Amino acid sequence: MTVLAYSYARFSSAPQARGDSLRRQVENAEAYAAAHGLTLDTQLRDEGISAYVGTHRRKGALAGFVQKAKAGLIPEGSRLLIDSFDRFSREEPTEAVGLLLDLTRLGVVVIFVSSGKVFGKQSSETDLIWAVFESGRSRRESEEKGRKVADARRTGRTLARETLRPTTKTGPHWLTLGADQKWKIIEKRAATVVEVFEMKAAGLGNATIARRMNAAGREKPRSAIWSETTVKEIIANRAVLGEFQPHTRIRRTASGEIIPPPQGERWPSVPDGPPIPGYFPEIVEPGLFERAQAVVRSRQNPNAQPRSRHFRNLLIGQVVCGACGGTVGYHQSFTPPPGQEHRTTGALRCNNINRGACDNRHRLRNRDVERDLMPFLAALSAAQAAIPAQAVAVQALARARLERAALQTRIDALLDALEEGRGVSGRLTEREAEADALDREIARLEREAAIERAQAAAPDWRDRLAEIKVQMETAQGDALYEARAAMSALIAVAVPLGFEFRDGLLFANFNESSPTDRPRLYYGGDGSVIRWEFAAGGPTFDQVKAAV
């Protein structure tokens, strides 16, 4: 009777795929099958799948083979030919030997071709001891290899910080690594990236940018077409400024020892230290980058995407309800006449009204908002209300990040002590609570630092206002959309904390923490729908409006 044999071949990395691993494993199985008169099936392969964390056992081809055996689809007595034990498993011996015994109990005869070891229901104690030792050897080999690779990568990251030497041959799609081990700019791709940032800084949405890049036939990074996700990833990538953020999946103790992940899992990738400035060539000017980020911030709520080609709401994503804190959006009242779609109809109101979650039923006509926006922005330029004297948040963010790194070192040391049985759980809980609080503070400072950088990079208010005002008065079609998008982006930079809608008016505040011993000082003229807080002695709305 013909005996059916299955050849199982596995490798875990791309270099092995390019090498000789797969061919060697299959040829050895074919030779064994021919020598023993077996009918061989060579389709059972796990290519690029790790056996260290048991991926092949849970969802690989080997997992499928086990499920078929359990379902009775693999004839009893069938052979499973595996080149060596480390191709079968590199997990802990309990998992590796357990998988081996599961197969034999299902009637599969497992044969390790290189050693000639055969495992079936009648395997001896000596065979099982061999399997235990071999699985331990495979595990230790992987751990040692992982340690060496981790140390090499850590050394590479250290050298990258000290000398800016490239750690890999792969970089952003607009760069290539030259023979001299220096990054070279691919000019055509870099120009496309700069074009994306310019459109974003002008206030265009991701979908609009993607549509225009596809229409222009621009080369796409790693995908068939430009998409909103592609644009979003490019805009968020600080590599355009020359920064490189190393990442690692390795966890270490305070003394530098590697902490293994839970059985069957991998540590998630996390930043390894602060970004490295100057690692890549800079292709986007910092001011342009920050203006693009200001537009991104203005669109961060789910209701902040233009729903038509007219860009009706200049304050999209920048107004919150004073009653419930929800988003105030643009609501169309009726179909506007031709040529007046962008401003004469519709009103701002809280989006939570229709959801029954807010009782702020005030409505603010969009045409009244646009009537008062130009004088309002001109007043900001005259008083320089939103321009910080110094980068306070940027400096505080740097200090907070250093403090967080030091705190993590103390947490790692406490984890080591806890594993050694010392009573430090109370202190560990306290330090972890401090870390959570510090993470929240860092997130807040990152937002404020981004605002500071955007404000410092913003163009001159009066010149920019005059330019956009002319465009809005004379442009049509796509040009009008772009002008209104640019005005929306300028407002987001000018009023970084946005607007609050209450009592039927818009309030623009430039200080999150107002003194509690005095009322806020708001300025605004009769008939104006906008109020803003300046220092005492600032210009009144009527004074500014008369000068515009």
Side-chain angles (χ1 to χ4, degrees):
M1 183 179 68
T2 301
V3 177
L4 186 61
Y6 298 86
S7 166
Y8 174 65
R10 185 195 62 79
F11 58 84
S12 57
S13 65
Q16 288 176 302
R18 295 190 294 268
D20 198 42
S21 177
L22 181 60
R23 183 196 60 78
R24 176 179 52 78
Q25 293 180 58
V26 172
E27 286 186 355
N28 288 348
E30 290 174 340
Y32 185 95
H36 293 80
L38 305 174
T39 300
L40 186 63
D41 182 336
T42 61
Q43 302 303 309
L44 193 60
R45 301 178 182 181
D46 275 328
E47 301 182 14
I49 294 182
S50 171
Y52 182 75
V53 296
T55 304
H56 69 320
R57 176 171 53 83
R58 294 191 304 275
K59 60 181 181 181
L62 186 60
F65 180 83
V66 173
Q67 292 302 317
K68 287 182 178 180
K70 289 180 178 179
L73 301 178
I74 304 297
E76 187 169 351
S78 296
R79 272 52 171 175
L80 179 62
L81 306 184
I82 307 173
D83 190 58
S84 59
F85 201 96
D86 56 9
R87 298 300 94 198
F88 175 67
S89 180
R90 288 182 180 272
E91 292 186 272
E92 294 286 357
T94 52
E95 294 289 351
V97 177
L99 177 60
L100 179 61
L101 294 177
D102 285 344
L103 286 167
T104 59
R105 282 193 291 266
L106 292 169
V108 177
V109 179
V110 182
I111 301 172
F112 296 102
V113 175
S114 297
S115 64
K117 284 289 183 179
V118 179
F119 286 85
K121 290 182 178 180
Q122 306 304 319
S123 293
S124 67
E125 295 89 340
T126 303
D127 291 333
L128 293 177
I129 291 173
W130 177 89
V132 171
F133 276 98
E134 195 66 14
S135 61
R137 181 198 61 77
S138 298
R139 181 71 177 185
R140 289 191 299 275
E141 182 182 272
S142 284
E143 290 174 345
E144 179 63 15
K145 185 184 299 182
R147 184 190 65 78
K148 290 180 178 179
V149 170
D151 287 345
R153 288 178 176 173
R154 184 166 62 165
T155 299
R157 291 192 292 269
T158 300
L159 289 175
R161 293 190 183 280
E162 295 175 351
T163 66
L164 301 183
R165 191 186 77 175
T167 59
T168 67
K169 295 181 180 180
T170 304
H173 76 280
W174 59 85
L175 298 176
T176 184
L177 192 62
D180 58 356
Q181 294 299 296
K182 293 184 178 180
W183 295 108
K184 310 294 183 184
I185 298 176
I186 303 174
E187 297 296 341
K188 185 176 180 180
R189 293 181 179 179
T192 298
V193 172
V194 173
E195 186 178 2
V196 169
F197 272 89
E198 288 174 341
M199 285 192 284
K200 174 57 71 174
L204 300 188
N206 294 345
T208 301
I209 295 174
R211 184 167 59 250
R212 295 192 178 186
M213 300 303 279
N214 285 322
R218 298 289 190 268
E219 183 178 357
K220 305 95 179 170
R222 305 182 308 279
S223 60
I225 62 171
W226 284 85
S227 66
E228 294 179 64
T229 300
T230 304
V231 175
K232 181 180 179 180
E233 290 176 350
I234 289 177
I235 295 298
N237 193 349
R238 295 186 66 86
V240 299
L241 299 175
E243 290 185 8
F244 170 53
Q245 175 60 72
H247 283 72
T248 182
R249 292 184 181 273
I250 303 298
R251 300 292 187 274
R252 295 179 182 272
T253 65
S255 59
E257 295 297 320
I258 294 178
I259 303 173
Q263 179 66 32
E265 299 181 15
R266 298 178 67 189
W267 292 120
S269 180
V270 295
D272 184 25
I276 303 174
Y279 180 86
F280 297 122
E282 177 186 299
I283 67 166
V284 172
E285 185 265 329
L288 174 59
F289 182 89
E290 297 302 342
R291 292 195 293 275
Q293 305 315 308
V295 174
V296 172
R297 287 193 302 276
S298 75
R299 305 284 185 82
Q300 284 181 341
N301 73 77
N303 300 305
Q305 296 298 322
R307 301 192 179 188
S308 76
R309 57 188 179 86
H310 304 293
F311 209 112
R312 295 186 175 101
N313 183 11
L314 292 178
L315 299 181
I316 187 168
Q318 302 179 48
V319 185
V320 299
C321 176
C324 70
T327 301
V328 173
Y330 179 94
H331 294 260
Q332 186 69 40
S333 300
F334 58 89
T335 303
Q340 298 183 11
E341 296 95 337
H342 66 278
R343 69 182 183 89
T344 57
T345 64
L348 301 183
R349 66 171 181 168
C350 180
N351 292 329
N352 283 334
I353 292 176
N354 293 337
R355 304 181 184 121
C358 183
D359 57 4
N360 179 7
R361 298 193 173 277
H362 288 287
R363 299 168 62 92
L364 189 55
R365 290 187 299 182
N366 196 51
R367 64 185 181 187
D368 293 338
V369 173
E370 296 200 11
R371 177 198 66 202
D372 295 335
L373 272 174
M374 294 301 116
F376 168 72
L377 291 175
L380 296 186
S381 175
Q384 296 184 339
I387 304 299
Q390 55 183 342
V392 177
V394 172
Q395 298 171 15
L397 177 60
R399 291 193 297 268
R401 283 174 171 166
L402 289 174
E403 184 181 347
R404 181 64 177 85
L407 182 57
Q408 187 60 49
T409 299
R410 295 197 293 273
I411 289 174
D412 291 341
L414 288 172
L415 286 171
D416 292 341
L418 190 64
E419 290 181 357
E420 295 170 2
R422 286 182 272 168
V424 296
S425 59
R427 278 187 291 160
L428 179 60
T429 300
E430 293 175 359
R431 297 295 86 78
E432 289 177 337
E434 291 176 12
D436 290 340
L438 193 52
D439 287 340
R440 291 192 294 271
E441 176 67 7
I442 288 174
R444 184 185 68 82
L445 289 172
E446 285 175 341
R447 292 192 296 269
E448 292 189 4
I451 290 171
E452 286 182 350
R453 289 192 293 265
Q455 290 170 351
D460 177 78
W461 291 108
R462 290 194 182 280
D463 291 346
R464 186 67 176 140
L465 272 174
E467 177 186 346
I468 298 177
K469 184 178 179 181
V470 170
Q471 292 173 356
M472 288 175 59
E473 292 173 349
T474 59
Q476 295 181 351
D478 287 345
L480 177 58
Y481 179 99
E482 292 181 14
R484 293 178 64 79
M487 177 61 72
S488 178
L490 186 142
I491 296 170
V493 175
V495 191
L497 300 180
F499 297 80
E500 183 180 339
F501 180 43
R502 66 176 188 270
D503 302 325
L505 299 172
L506 291 178
F507 291 82
N509 299 316
F510 301 98
N511 186 355
E512 283 185 318
S513 56
S514 181
T516 56
D517 59 347
R518 68 164 176 83
R520 288 183 179 272
L521 301 177
Y522 288 106
Y523 286 79
D526 293 339
S528 170
V529 299
I530 302 176
R531 300 287 187 272
W532 70 101
E533 184 185 33
F534 282 160
T540 66
F541 188 90
D542 291 335
Q543 290 172 337
V544 174
K545 191 171 183 179
V548 174

